[in-house]
Amino acid sequence: MTSGHILLLIGAYFLLLLLISYFTGKNDSNADFFKAGKKSPWYLVAFGMVGTSLSGVTFISVPGWVEGAQFGYMQVVFGYLVGYFVIAYVLMPIYYRFNVTSIYEYLEQRFGIVSYKTGAFFFFISRVLGASFRLFLVAIVLQQFVFDAWGVPFEVTVVLSIVLIWIYTFKGGIRTIVWTDTLQTLFMLLAVGLSIYFITDKLSWSMGDFFASDELKAYQRIIFMDDFLARNHFIKSFIGGLFIAICMTGLDQDMMQKNLTCKSLKDAQKNMISFSIVLVFVNFIFLLLGALLFIYAAKFNIVTPLMDGSAKTDLLFPEIALNSGLGLTVAITFMLGLIAAAYSSADSALTALTTSFCIDFMNIEKRPATSQKKLRKQVHIGMSLLLVVVIIIFKYVLNRNAIDGLLTVATYTYGPLLGLFAFGIFTKHSIKDKYAWLIALIAVILIYGIAQIPSDYLGGYVVGYELLPLNGLLTFIGLWLIRNKKTTKPVSPS
């Protein structure tokens, strides 16, 4: 598949997205941009959320992680599953009861304006970094397999990617995202299924042969219980996954904004539960694909592509799909899947960042009605420019597998959100609100310091994703120290 063919495919794909945007964005109001009129069918939201949760990071980074971690990522996924149930039955009832547009408005009602701004700030940082991680992956693939051959700088590739997203989201907002995410999820799953089919066929295997093969057995270990000190121990991975799901979905405006477009709390809960179960199976399929990629690469002597002089397993899937002779069908479906996976999370992130900044920092709902729409569009442009800058920075500082990097960043940025919401939900205390930002900052600094301690100093213990709940705990303790003596009624999920 030539670089010209890839560009034509991308162009056709975005024309389809623009068509969806045209029909869903006819009512260019802030209410529809932020909440989609609260009329989204729950099953549509659930299916679209699969693509948003997986993103381009999962699409090429999870398969690339199999070589070093085997199927150990499933330990984290099992934690996700439990976390999604907590979201459905603890957090969602609160959001629907308070009828919030931004979920961080809850913190203002519970503690005060400083806590509210602190929570919104940490989401903002988290989502900028998370969206940039995801878009960085699709940008490096486009650069490696398309634009390098034409001498186009990486920076131009990034700008082009963001401009395309901005074009189809600037009017319809979350209403458009609900529908485009559904289409993008379909393309992504189709790409994975066809890739597995054609690779096994090239190996002269049936699916039964693949599952029974000795080659697969070398990669398929799921549970790691032999060394508690190791980073990938089951308990540490499971607990980390549990809190990552709660924070990166339940305390994340991006993911919750879609759920808040459902007609009722009951519909939103059906969406979350069905989505969580499907997600476990989909992640397992991605790991199967990863094992198959490395088996195929070993058999046909395919070398892992280099980036800046070092092997990058994130690029193995595109290398095999585009350059190993599997045929045009695999190449087309891979590119559609990659673009769909990357943009299904990036477009909703751009919309969520716009929503959060408008509601949480610009107080758009308190401004004159005549200026609200103009301000929203200006913020949308500003968020697009911010993503461009951060993605370009990543090219020069990112030196690890992208999915690992994404989850590691989450341990720092989502911890204060976890502590703030937990203290609000499970205690009766008010706090000295003006110190909330300081408590959150101290917790992040302490967690960063703990992460830098050499494992030799900890008896060989390697810290991992359990830093996230620890971060939340430190924030919780700090809030306890600044609590007021008088109590308020806790906000329970019932």
Side-chain angles (χ1 to χ4, degrees):
M1 190 176 192
T2 67
S3 56
H5 291 147
I6 293 175
L7 280 184
L8 286 174
L9 183 64
I10 293 173
Y13 178 76
F14 274 98
L15 284 175
L16 180 58
L17 294 184
L18 285 172
L19 184 63
I20 294 174
S21 175
Y22 172 77
F23 287 107
T24 57
K26 287 185 176 180
N27 182 10
D28 187 20
S29 67
N30 280 4
D32 268 29
F33 187 95
F34 296 141
K35 284 190 173 182
K38 295 186 76 69
K39 295 179 180 178
S40 300
W42 69 266
Y43 47 85
L44 201 68
V45 176
F47 189 69
M49 280 181 64
V50 172
T52 306
S53 298
L54 295 174
S55 77
V57 174
T58 304
F59 190 73
I60 61 177
S61 190
V62 166
W65 207 9
V66 169
E67 183 183 43
Q70 299 191 49
F71 283 19
Y73 181 60
M74 286 302 298
Q75 300 176 130
V76 180
V77 174
F78 294 146
Y80 291 167
L81 180 62
V82 177
Y84 292 137
F85 276 77
V86 174
I87 294 166
Y89 295 105
V90 177
L91 292 175
M92 279 186 175
I94 295 173
Y95 300 150
Y96 269 83
R97 190 183 326 138
F98 281 87
N99 192 31
V100 296
T101 300
S102 165
I103 62 175
Y104 311 110
E105 293 174 286
Y106 161 74
L107 296 176
E108 181 179 21
Q109 299 181 53
R110 181 64 175 83
F111 298 127
I113 189 67
V114 175
S115 297
Y116 168 37
K117 300 298 183 183
T118 299
F121 172 78
F122 275 96
F123 159 74
F124 187 80
I125 297 299
S126 302
R127 184 45 61 182
V128 167
L129 294 176
S132 298
F133 262 116
R134 292 170 169 91
L135 273 171
F136 171 74
L137 270 181
V138 73
I140 63 173
V141 171
L142 291 175
Q143 189 67 33
Q144 180 101 355
F145 297 96
V146 181
F147 294 111
D148 271 347
W150 293 353
V152 176
F154 177 77
E155 290 77 8
V156 175
T157 304
V158 173
V159 171
L160 177 62
S161 298
I162 298 296
V163 167
L164 289 171
I165 293 173
W166 179 85
I167 288 173
Y168 74 83
T169 60
F170 84 102
K171 286 186 67 177
I174 195 65
R175 181 186 292 275
T176 298
I177 296 304
V178 167
W179 286 93
T180 56
D181 277 2
T182 301
L183 176 69
Q184 290 162 334
T185 299
L186 177 63
F187 279 138
M188 183 188 63
L189 297 180
L190 181 64
V192 173
L194 288 176
S195 295
I196 291 175
Y197 171 79
F198 281 104
I199 293 174
T200 52
D201 184 66
K202 188 77 171 182
L203 292 168
S204 299
W205 283 351
S206 65
M207 287 304 297
D209 295 331
F210 172 46
F211 284 121
S213 68
D214 292 333
E215 290 88 343
L216 177 59
K217 292 175 183 177
Y219 292 104
Q220 66 181 8
R221 185 179 179 187
I222 296 177
I223 305 298
F224 292 81
M225 294 282 288
D226 46 327
D227 183 8
F228 182 74
L229 300 179
R231 186 179 184 185
N232 64 345
H233 189 274
F234 173 77
I235 294 176
K236 295 161 71 174
S237 298
F238 179 86
I239 292 175
L242 165 66
F243 284 98
I244 286 169
I246 292 173
C247 294
M248 293 185 71
T249 299
L251 303 181
D252 185 283
Q253 175 65 23
D254 182 0
M255 299 299 290
M256 286 296 99
Q257 190 170 357
K258 295 183 182 69
N259 285 275
L260 294 175
T261 67
C262 292
K263 298 177 183 178
S264 65
L265 170 61
K266 185 177 180 180
D267 277 357
Q269 288 173 324
K270 286 191 291 187
N271 152 53
M272 181 57 62
I273 297 305
S274 57
F275 148 76
S276 64
I277 294 171
V278 169
L279 201 63
V280 172
F281 291 101
V282 171
N283 271 290
F284 185 72
I285 291 172
F286 270 98
L287 291 170
L288 285 174
L289 172 62
L292 193 58
L293 290 171
F294 284 103
I295 293 169
Y296 184 83
K299 183 174 180 62
F300 292 98
N301 299 314
I302 298 172
V303 178
T304 300
L306 302 178
M307 183 176 177
D308 296 330
S310 58
K312 193 165 186 65
T313 56
D314 289 344
L315 294 176
L316 182 61
F317 187 12
E319 176 68 22
I320 289 176
L322 300 176
N323 294 331
S324 70
L326 285 177
L328 192 60
T329 301
V330 173
I332 290 175
T333 55
F334 167 78
M335 287 308 303
L336 279 175
L338 173 65
I339 297 164
Y343 290 121
S344 65
S345 57
D347 55 16
S348 60
L350 181 56
T351 302
L353 286 169
T354 301
T355 301
S356 178
F357 200 83
C358 286
I359 301 295
D360 300 327
F361 297 106
M362 303 296 293
N363 297 316
I364 193 171
E365 294 174 322
K366 298 178 182 179
R367 292 175 179 259
T370 54
S371 65
Q372 288 184 12
K373 187 184 295 186
K374 180 180 178 181
L375 177 60
R376 185 202 83 208
K377 292 182 177 181
Q378 290 173 339
V379 170
H380 201 54
I381 293 172
M383 295 302 104
S384 302
L385 293 174
L386 179 61
L387 289 178
V388 168
V389 172
V390 176
I391 294 167
I392 292 173
I393 291 173
F394 276 166
K395 181 178 186 295
Y396 300 99
V397 302
L398 193 63
N399 58 3
R400 63 170 71 196
N401 174 277
I403 185 67
D404 187 31
L406 177 63
L407 298 182
T408 299
V409 166
T411 64
Y412 298 109
T413 57
Y414 282 97
L417 283 171
L418 177 62
L420 281 164
F421 274 86
F423 196 86
I425 294 170
F426 298 113
T427 79
K428 298 180 180 181
H429 296 285
S430 61
I431 62 173
K432 297 179 176 65
D433 181 55
K434 63 181 179 179
Y435 298 118
W437 71 272
L438 183 60
I439 295 300
L441 179 61
I442 291 172
V444 171
I445 292 173
L446 289 174
I447 287 298
Y448 180 79
I450 293 171
Q452 305 311 308
I453 299 175
S455 60
D456 293 344
Y457 292 9
L458 301 174
Y461 184 91
V462 180
V463 295
Y465 307 135
E466 72 274 18
L467 284 177
L468 176 54
L470 180 58
N471 194 348
L473 177 61
L474 290 176
T475 303
F476 190 99
I477 292 171
L479 295 173
W480 180 269
L481 295 177
I482 63 169
R483 72 191 187 281
N484 293 317
K485 291 184 179 180
K486 62 180 181 179
T487 61
T488 59
K489 185 178 180 180
V491 182
S492 65
S494 58

